[in-house]
Amino acid sequence: MIDVNSCRLLTVFIILTTVTACHRTVPAPVTPTPEQSKTFQPRALRDVVFERTRARLERGKYLTESLLQCFICHSDRDWTKPGAPPVANKKGAGHIWEDRPWLVAPNLTPDKETGAGDWTDDMFARAIREGVGHDGRLLYPQMWSGSFRSLSDEDLASVIVYLRALPPVHNPLPKTNIPEERKKTLPTLEPLIDPVPQPDLSDAVKRGAYLARIADCAGCHTAWEAPIVPGFYAGGNLIERGKEKVFSANLTPDSSGIGYYDDALFRSTIRTGHVKARKLSSLMPWIVFRNLNDDDLKDLFAYLRARRPIHHVVDNTEPPTECPACGQKHGYGDRNSKKTVVAVSIDTNAYADYVGRYRFDDGFMITISTEGDSNGGNNLNGGNKLFIQFASDPHKIELVPISATEFTAADIPDVITFERNAQGQVTHLLSNVDEVGKKIE
Ligand code: HEC
Ligand code: HEC
């Protein structure tokens, strides 16, 4: 089992040992190369102070203590209680990682000697969204900056205003000391230079997409590290922390997922940590998600309902059996079958338009190319076969058309489409988890 987590979306894969997460899109898991880590160039710190307003304090408390799960990692937890809440009076005071004692989630409270008392607002901002420590070090991706990166400027400011108002807790801890061999392959995030406005919040699915993104639901609920990734949100990611070990659930609207849920069941599951009478593992962070208000829970559910249904039965209450869908052993694995991708026949002339490089907002790149016969010579860029490559991974995966506009492959967890502008030029690549790659060449 792997253990670096990383969440640079699409890319990378995630972690696993422990809570994991990462999210993003399209791709199949790719291990970051040493070159990626070499490109680590944090931006200089800015002299900003976020105005301490009451609205920010409230919004910051709401986000920090619910979706963003900051204290689930930055506190010692009481595993004897349902949901394993942070230990009383030590909220945010830092934590030495269970099975990796070299990894320390630092004390975020404003204690001058052992905490963040002397850090600036921008040190927090750069750590949260760009993965850079207050001292300029590259943070280990167990810190989910890959998902927090999507926080709007205003939400980020709110979180920071709230953190700075926490009661200081004196809690001396060692510093993180990442083993040398792991340092070489750590994923990096590009500096965020441009403003991050509030996302489009015009309908429930869009609002839910933002909430799911910053909470990294897909990070835990996608089996990034499995031999076969059944699909985004299709569950089967082995989540471990300390002695706890459990496979994440399928959250797609399939009968094997949450197809039978309604708003009320979703709300009660998240609020109580029980699906009807069945108790959920404390590795599912319901203990903080239960602080979400009814509107946000409704929007999250609307977003999940709008995902592509994927059949993948995962039941932690049953003994583990081989699962042909993800290649792992988990409860009710034997109720699944191997993913099949059936190609439809389409006009491959459009392939030439898709060829190019696509850039995601965190700098992650996808390359689309073609090979093979060129449709009677009409197609100058060649090819009746379409391929995808992730970041600098030299391995090409052949894409299979499953409709006139949609492509996938057995080892890609997602379905890809290409978007054209009014002039008919291909401008973007879209994935079903709302990741958008802009065509740059
Ligand atoms: C899944 C676990 C996890 C979650 C969730 C998480 N963190 Fe972290 N965070 C870590 C770990 C582990 C580190 C230390 C990484 C390292 O030292 O390389 C860290 C590092 C940091 C740092 C850098 C501290 C320094 O020394 O400069 C800050 C700031 C931070 N986290 C803030 C937050 C905030 C705010 C949230 C919620 C928005 C949050 N974290 C959520 C695990 C987490
Ligand atoms: C740290 C990893 C992690 C994160 C983040 C996470 N989950 Fe989970 N979730 C799990 C695990 C593990 C389970 C399975 C627990 C079990 O079977 O006892 C689970 C179970 C669930 C279930 C119960 C499904 C069922 O009927 O069995 C729901 C609903 C759910 N998660 C929703 C969400 C949503 C929504 C988000 C984002 C807001 C989210 N989860 C984020 C780990 C996670």
Side-chain angles (χ1 to χ4, degrees), residues 5 19-21 63-64 67-74 95 97 102-108 116 119 123-128 132-145 148 151 159-160 163 175-178 186 241:
N5 157 9
V19 179
T20 308
L63 288 173
T64 305
L67 283 175
L68 302 180
Q69 309 157 62
C70 310
F71 304 142
I72 287 283
C73 291
H74 286 269
H95 175 69
W97 217 257
W102 46 265
L103 182 63
V104 181
N107 182 349
L108 301 179
W119 301 355
M123 285 175 179
F124 269 103
R126 201 176 60 166
I128 296 169
V132 180
H134 70 286
D135 47 6
R137 74 189 192 280
L138 172 58
L139 293 178
Y140 194 76
Q142 191 70 57
M143 166 65 190
W144 291 350
S145 304
F148 302 148
L151 279 169
V159 167
I160 294 169
L163 290 173
K175 283 191 183 351
T176 291
N177 184 11
I178 306 172
L186 290 188
R241 196 159 161 183

Side-chain angles (χ1 to χ4, degrees), residues 185-212:
T185 56
L186 290 188
T188 59
L189 294 168
E190 288 193 351
L192 267 178
I193 308 294
D194 297 329
V196 182
Q198 283 301 113
D200 178 357
L201 303 174
S202 56
D203 66 41
V205 173
K206 289 186 177 127
R207 289 191 296 273
Y210 178 63
L211 303 174

Side-chain angles (χ1 to χ4, degrees), residues 255-424:
S255 58
S256 60
I258 59 168
Y260 68 99
Y261 271 54
D262 58 14
D263 270 321
L265 179 57
F266 185 73
R267 200 168 51 236
S268 74
T269 299
I270 301 286
R271 292 257 170 86
T272 65
H274 283 75
V275 189
K276 300 184 177 157
R278 176 167 59 89
K279 184 168 162 269
L280 289 181
S281 158
S282 299
L283 293 179
M284 161 65 190
W286 62 268
I287 192 76
V288 287
F289 296 158
R290 71 176 171 170
N291 297 327
L292 287 166
N293 62 38
D294 288 2
D295 286 346
D296 283 352
L297 286 173
K298 246 184 147 100
D299 292 344
L300 266 174
F301 185 58
Y303 170 74
L304 292 173
R305 291 300 292 217
R307 298 309 89 207
R308 175 179 295 270
I310 296 166
H311 194 76
H312 187 213
V313 187
V314 181
D315 188 334
N316 290 302
T317 63
E318 295 293 325
T321 46
E322 299 284 346
C323 173
C326 68
Q328 308 174 104
K329 260 180 115 170
H330 60 71
Y332 276 157
D334 55 0
R335 298 211 167 178
N336 298 310
S337 45
K338 204 169 154 69
K339 176 174 175 185
T340 48
V341 180
V342 181
V344 300
S345 144
I346 64 166
D347 175 5
T348 58
N349 272 315
Y351 286 7
D353 299 345
Y354 303 153
V355 169
R357 304 213 328 132
Y358 296 81
R359 189 178 187 285
F360 289 79
D361 67 352
D362 63 345
F364 184 74
M365 301 284 292
I366 278 183
T367 306
I368 300 289
S369 57
T370 60
E371 275 176 27
D373 292 341
S374 57
N375 287 332
N378 294 334
N379 178 349
L380 294 178
N381 284 316
N384 58 2
K385 288 182 173 187
L386 200 61
F387 292 86
I388 189 165
Q389 262 171 284
F390 299 110
S392 50
D393 185 354
H395 177 60
K396 286 186 184 178
I397 299 172
E398 184 173 354
L399 287 171
V400 179
I402 54 167
S403 78
T405 53
E406 296 171 302
F407 299 87
T408 188
D411 35 5
I412 293 185
D414 200 7
V415 170
I416 293 161
T417 55
F418 296 92
E419 196 173 71
R420 294 180 187 266
N421 63 13
Q423 289 74 47

